[in-house]
């Protein structure tokens, strides 16, 4: 059965800290892994990763994929209170649906 | 075009009533998805369309649920004879599937069944 496991489930840090969020997966015919940020509404897209070892970067956020060990990490440096959100990891399998399997997310709280 | 649009954003209904949600995807996106999300969980896939064809339905989509995308543009999700367990946020998403498939979500429609 396809599954996506995220850790930690929740995390509380102070502004300026660096955090690393983890996502491990088991999926049939892996196609891509995506990270989303969800505040009080719909998930917003952060990164899509398809190749191992190639870091994607956007400002203070970066992510990398390891297809051999079946995991990805999302790093946030110099955290700000606006980074407080649930970070969702989703994996796309190459099934007929090409839909996304989501983890339960990591709830990040950044304290001033 | 500002993204995926859903309405209504919130709906409170009595158990046993029917409800319908509408989704307008990003223009020219050929794929449209419906997900359901409950508190503390990630979104769960319900169904998806490629153009007007409904290509897959999750086992979560009971026979009380029906989705349509009649002209390959907007979509509706109807829930008949609602139950309290249907209370959730219903997310619509769209993508332009070519070689990759970045899915963009709408704001979601919150359903509360009382």
């Amino acid at each position: 059965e396809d599954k996506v496991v995220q850790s930690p489930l929740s995390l509380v840090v102070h502004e300026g800290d660096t955090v690393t969020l983890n996502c491990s997966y088991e999926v049939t015919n892996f196609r891509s892994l995506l990270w989303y940020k969800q505040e009080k509404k719909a998930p917003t897209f952060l990164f899509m990763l398809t190749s191992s070892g190639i870091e994607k970067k956007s400002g203070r956020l970066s992510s990398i994929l390891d297809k051999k060990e079946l995991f990805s990490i999302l790093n946030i440096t110099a955290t700000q209170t606006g980074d407080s959100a649930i970070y969702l990891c989703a994996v796309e399998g190459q099934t007929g649906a090409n839909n996304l399997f989501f983890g339960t997310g990591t709830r990040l709280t950044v304290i001033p | 075009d500002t993204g995926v649009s859903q309405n209504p954003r919130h709906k409170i209904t009595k158990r046993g009533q029917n409800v319908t949600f509408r989704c307008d995807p990003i223009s020219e996106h050929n794929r449209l998805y419906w997900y359901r999300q409950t508190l503390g969980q990630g979104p769960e896939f319900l169904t998806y369309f490629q153009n007007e064809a409904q290509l897959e339905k999750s086992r979560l989509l009971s026979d009380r649920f029906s989705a349509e995308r009649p002209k390959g543009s907007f979509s509706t999700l109807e829930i008949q004879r609602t139950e309290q367990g249907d209370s959730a946020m219903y997310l619509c998403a769209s993508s332009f599937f070519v070689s990759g498939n970045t899915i963009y979500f709408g704001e979601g429609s919150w359903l509360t069944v009382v």
Side-chain angles (χ1 to χ4, degrees), chain A residues 1 31-32 34 36 38 40-45 48 88 92 95-105 107, chain B residues 9 31 33 35 37 40-43 45 48 56 89 91 97-108 110:
Chain A
E1 183 179 324
R31 189 182 183 96
S32 64
L34 294 89
Y36 287 84
Q38 185 172 30
K40 292 185 179 178
K41 41 191 180 179
T44 54
F45 172 77
M48 182 171 74
L88 293 165
E92 182 185 13
T95 64
N98 290 113
N99 66 75
L100 299 180
F101 295 97
F102 281 86
T104 55
R107 180 181 291 277
Chain B
R9 295 289 314 282
R31 287 199 173 178
Y33 303 78
Y35 286 81
Q37 187 175 23
Q41 300 295 318
F45 170 75
Y48 94 107
E56 182 150 337
M89 180 165 68
L91 289 163
F97 180 76
V98 182
S99 57
N101 198 33
T102 301
I103 296 177
Y104 296 92
F105 285 87
E107 298 285 303
W110 280 100

Side-chain angles (χ1 to χ4, degrees), chain A residues 25 30-34 47-56 63-68 72 92, chain B residues 99-102:
Chain A
Y25 64 89
F30 173 87
R31 189 182 183 96
S32 64
L33 184 145
L34 294 89
F47 299 111
M48 182 171 74
L49 303 159
T50 56
S51 301
S52 277
I54 298 175
E55 186 183 52
K56 292 275 183 96
S63 183
I64 197 162
L65 174 67
D66 185 328
K67 289 169 71 174
K68 181 179 178 184
S72 174
E92 182 185 13
Chain B
S99 57
N101 198 33
T102 301

Side-chain angles (χ1 to χ4, degrees), chain A residues 15-36:
Chain A
E15 267 192 320
D17 288 351
T18 294
V19 297
T20 298
L21 310 182
N22 303 291
C23 175
S24 63
Y25 64 89
E26 294 177 24
V27 66
T28 304
N29 298 323
F30 173 87
R31 189 182 183 96
S32 64
L33 184 145
L34 294 89
W35 284 96
Y36 287 84

